[in-house]
Amino acid sequence: MLDTSMREVGLVQGQDYVFETRWADSDASRFSPLAAELLAGHPSAVVVSTILAAIDVQKLSRTVPIVGTGLNAPVATGLAASLAHPGGNITGVASMGEDIQLKLFEMMRETLPGLRRVMVITNPTNPSLRPMLDLLTSQAAKEGLAIDAVSVSAPADLDAAFAEMLRQSPGAIFVQSDSSLSGLANPIIARALGLRIPTIGTFGTVFAQGGAHCSPIPTMPAKLSRASHAC
């Protein structure tokens, strides 16, 4: 898709530009060294898909343009000054995950009317998820629901997380919006199905195809300056 889009504006990969990709494999500790590796190559821009990657790149450079693709709470985490005028070297789109998760939570309640306890899978290394979890907890309290949370910041954390699920026996699992957790969607769903626990998340087709419930995430464009629009 990228190659086709670039060709439409007259740019050919390998001739006019080089697009290099790095993957953290759902391990948050890898973002910082990967950011340093990419910046060592003096790129014209860095495209990121998670708030953690954006923060790690911005820590190392305040001049290389950073383009985010669906970032959670860029203003609340201090990455951007505002959605309309983010400032600095950041632009892109915001996921609006704070609002989407509340709607998704409402859908979960309607689907499971007898629900009393929800286990939330969160990534503690993602600074945008704490305030989002607080919003969920506040909403759950209004509806008489108990919220517990388990932390998963790398694939190795899944065993302990699901051991806690087995101990707590929640009525549903709610997976927060996070790129690292998205990369672990299939093993999360497989384990949840094994425990026969309904699971819901915001990762589109990967959750639906895996047998869980999902919701697409709309995005809101942000401007870097009056002269440039988000990608």
Side-chain angles (χ1 to χ4, degrees):
M1 180 180 293
L2 173 68
D3 186 46
T4 300
S5 298
M6 296 297 271
R7 282 182 177 275
E8 289 176 354
V9 294
L11 299 177
V12 178
Q13 182 165 204
Q15 175 181 308
D16 301 301
Y17 72 96
V18 174
F19 191 78
E20 294 188 8
T21 305
R22 299 291 187 277
W23 298 99
D25 294 323
S26 296
D27 185 343
S29 67
R30 298 187 62 192
F31 284 122
S32 183
L34 288 176
E37 182 180 326
L38 284 173
L39 289 172
H42 305 290
S44 298
V46 177
V47 180
V48 296
S49 60
T50 175
I51 201 81
L52 278 175
I55 289 173
D56 280 330
V57 173
Q58 197 175 64
K59 283 178 180 177
L60 297 173
S61 175
R62 289 284 178 170
T63 56
V64 174
I66 303 169
V67 182
T69 60
L71 301 182
N72 285 337
V75 177
T77 55
L79 189 65
S82 71
L83 291 180
H85 301 284
N89 58 331
I90 184 77
T91 188
V93 291
S95 69
M96 308 308 293
E98 308 95 308
D99 299 323
I100 293 300
Q101 68 168 4
L102 293 179
K103 185 61 179 179
L104 197 56
F105 197 79
E106 179 185 333
M107 293 167 59
M108 181 181 65
R109 290 283 286 122
E110 292 176 354
T111 305
L112 303 168
L115 188 63
R116 293 292 177 268
R117 180 176 294 275
V118 179
M119 183 68 77
V120 177
I121 297 181
T122 187
N123 179 358
T125 66
N126 186 333
S128 70
L129 296 190
R130 180 70 253 181
M132 291 171 68
L133 180 58
D134 290 342
L135 282 175
L136 276 181
T137 302
S138 177
Q139 183 63 31
K142 296 175 183 177
E143 301 179 15
L145 288 176
I147 289 280
D148 297 299
V150 289
S151 298
V152 174
S153 57
D157 297 333
L158 286 175
D159 287 342
F162 275 88
E164 182 65 13
M165 302 264 190
L166 190 60
R167 191 180 74 82
Q168 294 276 6
S169 297
I173 296 171
F174 190 99
V175 185
Q176 285 197 284
S177 177
D178 171 77
S179 292
S180 293
L181 295 179
S182 176
L184 295 172
N186 285 325
I188 287 173
I189 294 166
R191 290 170 183 248
L193 289 175
L195 295 177
R196 302 182 66 82
I197 303 175
T199 304
I200 192 165
T202 55
F203 307 128
T205 56
V206 65
F207 257 62
Q209 291 171 350
H213 188 76
C214 68
S215 174
I217 302 179
T219 57
M220 176 175 289
K223 294 181 179 179
L224 178 60
S225 69
R226 288 179 295 178
S228 63
H229 291 273
C231 296

